[in-house]
Amino acid sequence: MYTFRSAILFAVSLSARIAAAQNNASVRVPAYLNPTVPGLNRIQHELGSQLSRAAKIYLPGNASYSDATTRWNGAMHPNFAAVVVPTNDQDVAAIVRYANLKKLPFFAVNRGHGSSIDLNKLRHGISIYVQKLDSITIASDSQSAVLGGGVYAGPLIKTLAKKGKIAATSAVTCVGIVGAGLGGGMGMYQGLYGLVADNFLEMTIVTADGSIVTANDRRNADLFWAMRGAGHNFGIVTSYVYKTYDSIPTWYAASYQYTHDKLDAVFTELNRLNNNGRQPKELTTYTVFAINPGVSNQPVIIVSMWYAGPSTSALRYTLPFLNLNPILINNQTVTYANLADAVGIGIKSPICQSGMSHASFPIGIQQFNLTTTHQIWDLYSDLITKHPEFKGSVVQFEGYPIRGVQAIDGAKTAYAHRGDNLLVAFQATYPPSPHSDDIAPLYGHQISSVVHAGDAPGRPLNTYVNYAYGDETLEQVYGYEEWRIQKLRKLKKQWDPYGKFNWFHPIL
């Protein structure tokens, strides 16, 4: 029997092999980026003298440069003249000031998951590789922690677990806290504690001119507002104060797999469970259309349910899905620290490996429409039949609990889509290919249009910035309220008048 992991994550099962092949391949460096070019030697000499002793500079042709510039998404090709590895906020500020002086673009990189097509416009820039900013210091009262800008979910979860604590993070544990939080940041604890963005108490930020500023609810409050939902446009977070909470000791994880004939029954139950946004705050559902080769070459429906509590408490929610007679069942009880690894979304899982190309097309909705969900199935089936290289792709139906998200006043942060109950996203996954890069948006936009057509009448098309493809309108990404867009534009002109941070869904 196929386990939960093999069932849900075949979409990216080739990633590790592709990445390994890439790492063993010879590095081909464009002539104008050859490390013998005097300009690159000057970067090493001039910038190196301004950095701390432990900071490093990698140039093209160096194995460390190749590792640092390999992105999770093989369709993203930002071009860097150098990679600089800072060890503190002063290093980051010095890099930004140097880049400005030399008129070089720059971009902060942590885990390398950002996937907007805007990134492909970056040429001959400096990568500010923040992974060494990875400190975790838990406060004496254990109600918060000071974290470095390079901290990501996996190590944070493990570190906090030793103290009986947790924090809001993305579900997939290879994702950076800051990267997710700048665009909102969805995760399994959001029903209780809100988005990742809602859990920042303070940030230390390097701004577009190389200044180091502190932002919180009292100091640079407007910048703090913008950083939580549109933060990719405004600065580089080098450290931050983050909320922590007491751990819930036991989690129950279940997955059920169905054939197409159960589609109406499955999505009727998912709608009943979501109950127009009143889904239990302890429960996350994650449903996909996917190919599971252990079952069939035809698509299947996989429903995953993750519950913060014991199986006895989860049974009332899982039993209706069990009663639909799934063709495969998997369930287990684990600690939260081990949950991601157990269900196949941990750091070593295929979903976290680089090498494959990806394109995502997310739409926020109120509830699942049975008619349009059948149409989505047909489009997905058509894609993988006509273009078998896309068999690793999925359509995601994300049912994160939203009570904690909607408990936050929407005007308190730049995150605009707190009214969305559910998120549907076509996630194209395929071996890198320019031809496939063209096919992915053709199907992605069709599926998005169908999803939106099935939403409640009159609702605008909302897209989640962290998943967004890159050709969406400003309002679709950052909200339709006129005051919100005007405030973002005003703050962008104030904090980044020359568009230094315009590589990820830019506001101006």
Side-chain angles (χ1 to χ4, degrees), residues 188 230 478:
M188 288 183 273
Y478 296 115

Side-chain angles (χ1 to χ4, degrees), residues 369-442:
N369 182 300
L370 299 185
T371 299
T372 54
T373 301
H374 276 285
Q375 295 170 4
I376 295 165
W377 176 280
D378 291 342
L379 283 167
Y380 175 70
S381 299
D382 183 73
L383 169 66
I384 60 178
T385 299
K386 293 179 178 177
H387 306 281
E389 66 272 21
F390 282 89
K391 284 189 175 181
S393 304
V394 299
V395 182
Q396 303 171 168
F397 303 85
E398 299 186 1
Y400 288 106
I402 62 169
R403 293 191 191 185
V405 177
Q406 295 187 345
I408 306 295
D409 183 349
K412 295 294 185 182
T413 71
Y415 182 77
H417 300 318
R418 295 181 188 273
D420 293 341
N421 295 334
L422 301 157
L423 186 70
V424 181
F426 169 58
Q427 176 70 56
T429 299
Y430 52 95
S433 158
H435 176 63
S436 297
D437 288 342
D438 293 333
I439 293 172
L442 292 178

Side-chain angles (χ1 to χ4, degrees), residues 462-503:
N462 296 335
T463 190
Y464 180 42
V465 62
N466 286 349
Y467 293 1
Y469 180 66
D471 61 355
E472 299 83 358
T473 69
L474 190 67
E475 290 77 14
Q476 288 169 354
V477 174
Y478 296 115
Y480 292 83
E481 304 103 319
E482 185 176 353
W483 70 265
R484 185 183 297 275
I485 297 299
Q486 287 181 350
K487 183 173 183 177
L488 284 171
R489 285 173 170 157
K490 179 181 178 182
L491 290 171
K492 181 70 170 177
K493 291 177 182 177
Q494 176 184 348
W495 290 99
D496 185 21
Y498 302 108
K500 302 295 184 178
F501 295 111
N502 274 13
W503 307 114

Side-chain angles (χ1 to χ4, degrees), residues 7-66:
I8 198 169
L9 292 176
F10 180 71
V12 288
S13 62
L14 295 178
S15 298
R17 295 196 294 273
I18 296 290
Q22 285 187 337
N23 287 340
N24 290 328
S26 60
V27 179
R28 298 185 64 186
V29 182
Y32 68 91
L33 286 183
N34 192 289
T36 61
V37 175
L40 296 183
N41 287 334
R42 283 200 295 270
I43 291 177
Q44 183 86 52
H45 173 72
E46 295 172 349
L47 179 56
S49 64
Q50 302 177 43
L51 302 176
S52 63
R53 286 189 176 184
K56 297 183 182 300
I57 299 176
Y58 304 137
L59 301 178
N62 181 288
S64 295
Y65 171 94
S66 179

Side-chain angles (χ1 to χ4, degrees), residues 137 214 224 227 244 277 320 339 379 437 508:
T137 305
T214 298
F224 191 51
M227 292 296 293
T244 59
L339 176 62
L379 283 167
D437 288 342
L508 293 176

Side-chain angles (χ1 to χ4, degrees), residues 286-436:
Y286 177 78
T287 303
V288 295
F289 295 162
I291 296 292
N292 180 1
V295 175
S296 171
N297 288 326
Q298 299 301 311
V300 293
I301 306 166
I302 305 171
V303 178
S304 304
M305 306 179 75
W306 305 316
Y307 182 80
S311 59
T312 52
S313 299
L315 184 62
R316 61 183 295 193
Y317 309 119
T318 60
L319 185 59
F321 293 89
L322 187 62
N323 289 339
L324 295 178
N325 297 317
I327 57 176
L328 285 179
I329 301 169
N330 187 275
N331 56 73
Q332 54 192 314
T333 297
V334 295
T335 64
Y336 182 67
N338 295 319
L339 176 62
D341 291 333
V343 302
I345 54 175
I347 297 167
K348 295 182 180 180
S349 67
I351 199 171
C352 282
Q353 309 312 309
S354 61
M356 297 294 275
S357 289
H358 306 272
S360 186
F361 304 84
I363 304 292
I365 61 172
Q366 292 291 287
Q367 66 176 5
F368 299 123
N369 182 300
L370 299 185
T371 299
T372 54
T373 301
H374 276 285
Q375 295 170 4
I376 295 165
W377 176 280
D378 291 342
L379 283 167
Y380 175 70
S381 299
D382 183 73
L383 169 66
I384 60 178
T385 299
K386 293 179 178 177
H387 306 281
E389 66 272 21
F390 282 89
K391 284 189 175 181
S393 304
V394 299
V395 182
Q396 303 171 168
F397 303 85
E398 299 186 1
Y400 288 106
I402 62 169
R403 293 191 191 185
V405 177
Q406 295 187 345
I408 306 295
D409 183 349
K412 295 294 185 182
T413 71
Y415 182 77
H417 300 318
R418 295 181 188 273
D420 293 341
N421 295 334
L422 301 157
L423 186 70
V424 181
F426 169 58
Q427 176 70 56
T429 299
Y430 52 95
S433 158
H435 176 63
S436 297

Side-chain angles (χ1 to χ4, degrees), residues 154 157-158 161 166 173 247-249 251 334-341:
I157 291 170
K158 300 289 187 183
I166 59 92
T173 57
S247 177
I248 296 174
W251 278 71
V334 295
T335 64
Y336 182 67
N338 295 319
L339 176 62
D341 291 333

